[in-house]
Amino acid sequence: MATGQKLLSFLFLQLVLILMVSNLSNAKGLSLGYYHKTCPNAESIIWKATHRVISRAPTLAAPLLRLHFHDCFVRGCEGSVLLNSTKTNVAERAAIPNLSLRGFNVIDGIKAEVEKECPGVVSCADIVALAARDSVSMIHGPYWEVPLGRRDGRVSILNEVFAELPGPFNNITQLRQMFAVKGLNMKDLAVLSGGHTIGTSHCLGVNNRLYNFTGRGDTDPSMDPNYIVKLRQKCKPGDTTTLVEMDPGSFKTFDESYFTLVAKRRGLFQSDAALLNDPETRAYVFHQASTHGSTFAKDFAKSMVKMGQVGVLTGNQGEIRKHCAFVN
Ligand code: HEM
Ligand SMILES: *[C@@H]1O[C@H](CO)[C@@H](O)[C@H](O)[C@H]1NC(C)=O
Ligand SMILES: *[C@@H]1O[C@H](CO)[C@@H](O)[C@H](O)[C@H]1NC(C)=O
Ligand SMILES: *[C@@H]1O[C@H](CO)[C@@H](O)[C@H](O)[C@H]1NC(C)=O
Ligand SMILES: CC(=O)N[C@H]1CO[C@H](CO)[C@@H](O)[C@@H]1O
C-alpha cells in the first residue's frame, strides 16, 4: 500500500473510532456528565435533595419513577408533564391518568435548589430523570448512569395523554404498539412494567376485573380467583378512590417480586396480566419469577436509559425552564 493510502485508511479508522465513541457518550445528543462544566454540583444537589425526601417518605420513590415514565411517553422526556394548565391551554397534568400523579412539589423543590446554585442551566426534564434514578436506587433498586442534556418543552396538551400513554385496560397488542412508536421493544415492555414492583393504585384501575368485566357482572378469567376475593375486600363496587398495593407485601421495595405475582396471575391491571399473552414477555416474566438468578435489576437500568432518551429535545431546541410548572 502506498503511504498516502495507508494514511487515508488510518484516518478513516480514526474517524470510525471517534464516531463510535461519540455515539456511545452522545446517544440522541445526551451525554454523561453533561453539567460537569456548567453546574458541577447539579447531580449531587439533586441526589441530596431526593435523599432528604426519600429517607423521610420512601413511598415517594414510586410517584417519582412514574413521573419520568409519564413525561417520556407524552411528547418525549421534555418535562411537559410538569407544566400547569393556563387560561388558554389544558395541560397533560389535568388528564384522568394524571389524577394520581404525585411528586410535582418534590421536583419543584429540587429545581429551586439547583436554580440557586446555577440559574437557568439544568432542565426540569433532567431533574425528573435523575430524581427517578436516585429514588429507585435509594430503595435498594438498581443504579444507572443518566445521560443528560435534555431541554424542556414549551407545549403540554391534555389530549395527547390519551393517545400516547398506555392505560391499565390496554391489551398486549396495544401495549406493543404504544411502546414500539417510542422505539421500545417487547423486552423493554416486560422490564419496565416491573416498575410496578413499587407503589399503589386506585381501585379505579382494577374494579372492572373484580365486578363487571364484560358488562355481565362477571370477573376477569385471567386473574387468579383467590386474588379476586382478596382484592374485593379492599375495592368495593364503584370505589374509585381506595388505594391498593400493586406488589402487596413488598410495595416499598424495588425487587423482582412483581414478576412472581404476574406469573401467578396476580398482576393488578389487565396491562400487567397481558404480559402473559406474548411469547417474549411471557418468557421474561417466568424467567424473572423463577428462583435462578434474576436479571431484572440490570435489565431495568438498561431499559430506563433507553426510555430516558425517548423524544428528547437537545441543542437549542426548547428551553431551560426557570420554574418547572411554567414555560419561561
Ligand atoms: C406498561 C404500561 C403501563 C401502564 C398501563 C401503567 C399503568 C399504571 C396505573 C393505572 C397506575 C396506578 C395509578 C393510580 O391509580 O394511582 C400505575 C402506577 C404506577 N406505575 Fe405504571 N403503568 C405502566 C408502565 C409503567 C412504567 C414503564 C413505569 C416505570 C418504569 C411505571 C411505574 C409506576 C409506578 C411506580 C406506579 C405507582 C405510583 C404511585 O405509587 O403513586 N408504570 N401505573
Ligand atoms: C399548578 O397547578 C396545581 C394544580 O392545579 C397547583 O396545585 C399548583 O400549585 C400549581 N403550581 C404552581 C407552581 O402554581
Ligand atoms: C386489543 O384491543 C383492541 C382495541 O380494543 C382490539 O381491536 C384488539 O382486537 C385487541 N387485541 C387483543 C389481542 O385482544
Ligand atoms: C355492568 O356493566 C353493564 C354494561 O356496562 C351495566 O349495564 C351494568 O349496570 C353493570 N353492572 C353493575 C353491577 O355495575
Ligand atoms: C394535578 C392535576 O392537574 N390534577 C388534575 C388531574 O385530572 C383531574 C380530572 O381531569 C383534575 O381535576 C385534576 O386537577
Side-chain angles (χ1 to χ4, degrees):
M1 231 192 283
T3 321
Q5 265 178 326
K6 262 189 200 162
L7 184 67
L8 263 182
S9 70
F10 173 76
L11 285 176
F12 180 72
L13 205 74
Q14 290 289 307
L15 186 69
V16 168
L17 277 173
I18 288 167
L19 284 176
M20 277 170 62
V21 169
S22 68
N23 199 27
L24 279 178
S25 64
N26 209 15
K28 301 251 174 91
L30 304 178
S31 56
L32 297 177
Y34 179 84
Y35 297 112
H36 184 66
K37 289 215 174 81
T38 52
C39 189
N41 294 326
E43 288 196 51
S44 71
I45 294 172
I46 295 164
W47 173 273
K48 281 178 199 150
T50 308
H51 189 261
R52 268 203 305 282
V53 171
I54 298 300
S55 56
R56 252 189 290 122
T59 56
L60 277 176
L64 287 174
L65 172 61
R66 185 167 175 235
L67 213 45
H68 186 36
F69 162 57
H70 280 222
D71 186 24
C72 292
F73 264 69
V74 188
R75 271 190 177 263
C77 321
E78 36 62 279
S80 56
V81 71
L82 306 171
L83 288 173
N84 263 13
S85 298
T86 63
K87 278 195 191 120
T88 52
N89 178 60
V90 186
E92 290 170 28
R93 272 172 84 158
I96 300 239
N98 286 351
L99 249 177
S100 50
L101 279 180
R102 300 180 286 149
F104 293 101
N105 298 343
V106 175
I107 299 296
D108 288 348
I110 299 175
K111 171 69 170 174
E113 281 192 50
V114 176
E115 284 297 289
K116 240 187 280 163
E117 169 129 341
C118 335
V121 173
V122 181
S123 68
C124 295
D126 276 346
I127 292 175
V128 169
L130 287 167
R133 186 276 313 271
D134 291 350
S135 51
V136 164
S137 75
M138 283 166 199
I139 54 165
H140 310 298
Y143 180 91
W144 59 95
E145 298 286 350
V146 181
L148 297 169
R150 295 169 189 77
R151 310 253 308 165
D152 296 322
R154 296 194 185 93
V155 179
S156 179
I157 302 170
L158 170 80
N159 280 327
E160 289 182 346
V161 175
F162 306 111
E164 299 191 47
L165 190 71
F169 312 119
N170 284 157
N171 62 37
I172 192 68
T173 314
Q174 296 165 315
L175 292 171
R176 179 191 289 117
Q177 208 205 338
M178 294 182 111
F179 271 65
V181 293
K182 305 295 169 192
L184 299 170
N185 60 31
M186 294 307 268
K187 178 163 185 190
D188 298 313
L189 169 62
V191 170
L192 292 171
S193 295
H196 290 171
T197 176
I198 52 172
T200 55
S201 164
H202 293 78
C203 290
L204 179 67
V206 67
N207 260 12
N208 68 323
R209 305 184 76 192
L210 310 180
Y211 295 108
N212 206 1
F213 192 60
T214 65
R216 291 190 215 105
D218 50 347
T219 57
D220 183 346
S222 74
M223 188 185 258
D224 170 3
N226 297 317
Y227 200 49
I228 290 184
V229 171
K230 275 199 177 158
L231 284 172
R232 278 178 155 193
Q233 289 164 5
K234 298 218 169 81
C235 295
K236 298 299 172 192
D239 179 349
T240 54
T241 52
T242 303
L243 291 174
V244 284
E245 297 165 12
M246 292 191 291
D247 181 2
S250 111
F251 80 108
K252 292 183 192 173
T253 322
F254 202 94
D255 55 19
E256 62 277 359
S257 54
Y258 165 83
F259 296 102
T260 315
L261 280 176
V262 173
K264 288 200 263 187
R265 312 203 313 155
R266 292 178 166 215
L268 192 63
F269 306 129
Q270 281 165 265
S271 58
D272 297 316
L275 297 179
L276 299 176
N277 297 338
D278 166 87
E280 192 179 345
T281 52
R282 182 185 174 87
Y284 189 82
V285 166
F286 279 100
H287 182 76
Q288 301 311 313
S290 72
T291 47
H292 41 268
S294 167
T295 56
F296 174 51
K298 188 172 77 32
D299 297 337
F300 192 75
K302 204 171 151 203
S303 288
M304 283 300 286
V305 171
K306 213 170 149 187
M307 186 185 84
Q309 290 167 351
V310 169
V312 293
L313 303 178
T314 54
N316 52 17
Q317 297 173 308
E319 63 183 20
I320 303 296
R321 263 178 235 151
K322 291 192 178 72
H323 191 301
C324 294
F326 309 105
V327 297
N328 291 343

